[in-house]
Amino acid sequence: MSGGTPAGDRLLIVNADDYGLTPGVSRAILRAHSDGIVTSTSALALAPGFAASAPALRDTPAIGVGAHLAAVGEDPPLLSAREVPTLVDGRGRLASSWRVFLPRVAAGRIDMEDVRREFTAQVDCLRDAGLVLDHVDTHQHVHLWPSVGAVVLDVAEKAGVGALRII
């Protein structure tokens, strides 16, 4: 099981986002951790390389692990397009970036319940992989938008995750 030392016990936390993006990114993060540089990582449950990379992360107990929740990035969501229709385009993929996503949020075209369902599925996926989460954050920092941040905080609280990484 992973989870690492509680963040409060460290003077400096060096976090590497996008664990699972590709096998190479995952290997690099674990190498930086073993070299004493990276102390924490945030895992992308919906990333193409996550399933293959999850066991190595689970077997590295000294690294802190967070959920890097994604509502953007052009990957398909974990849930079907039918389950989160306002999050996907005609190809069933998430918005390419925050620049596309946030104007849709501001215009009321993103259903925050779709965001909640997808983020919950991502947290569940990480936990099902045997990871113990010590923080959450979001891909491209979309949680800094208030309505998205409120969903992230709620999902984290319900999952028993007590920290939100802001930057």
Side-chain angles (χ1 to χ4, degrees):
M1 303 298 272
S2 66
T5 304
D9 295 345
R10 296 187 184 142
L11 294 176
L12 176 66
I13 297 170
V14 178
N15 190 78
D17 284 343
D18 297 340
Y19 188 91
L21 184 64
T22 67
V25 167
S26 298
R27 283 191 307 273
I29 289 169
L30 292 179
R31 171 92 186 265
H33 172 68
S34 69
D35 288 348
I37 299 164
V38 167
T39 60
S40 173
T41 189
S42 300
L44 269 169
L46 54 64
F50 174 72
S53 301
L57 183 56
R58 185 182 57 242
D59 295 341
T60 308
I63 192 169
V65 178
H68 196 52
L69 303 174
V72 299
E74 294 188 87
D75 289 314
L78 290 182
L79 299 177
S80 71
R82 186 181 78 257
E83 294 171 290
V84 290
T86 65
L87 294 184
V88 297
D89 62 17
R91 300 177 304 142
R93 298 192 175 273
L94 298 172
S96 58
S97 76
W98 66 268
R99 288 183 173 98
V100 174
F101 179 75
L102 291 179
R104 293 183 64 217
V105 170
R109 294 178 36 218
I110 300 288
D111 183 343
M112 286 298 119
E113 289 306 309
D114 287 358
V115 175
R116 180 183 315 281
R117 281 189 295 278
E118 177 60 22
F119 285 177
T120 299
Q122 291 177 27
V123 167
D124 290 347
C125 176
L126 296 170
R127 293 170 87 187
D128 290 347
L131 301 174
V132 176
L133 305 176
D134 62 18
H135 73 277
V136 296
D137 59 44
T138 57
H139 196 49
Q140 298 183 17
H141 306 288
V142 297
H143 65 284
L144 298 179
W145 187 265
S147 59
V148 178
V151 170
V152 170
L153 288 172
D154 186 55
V155 168
E157 181 179 21
K158 285 181 175 154
V161 180
L164 170 68
R165 196 189 88 215
I166 297 173
I167 56 170

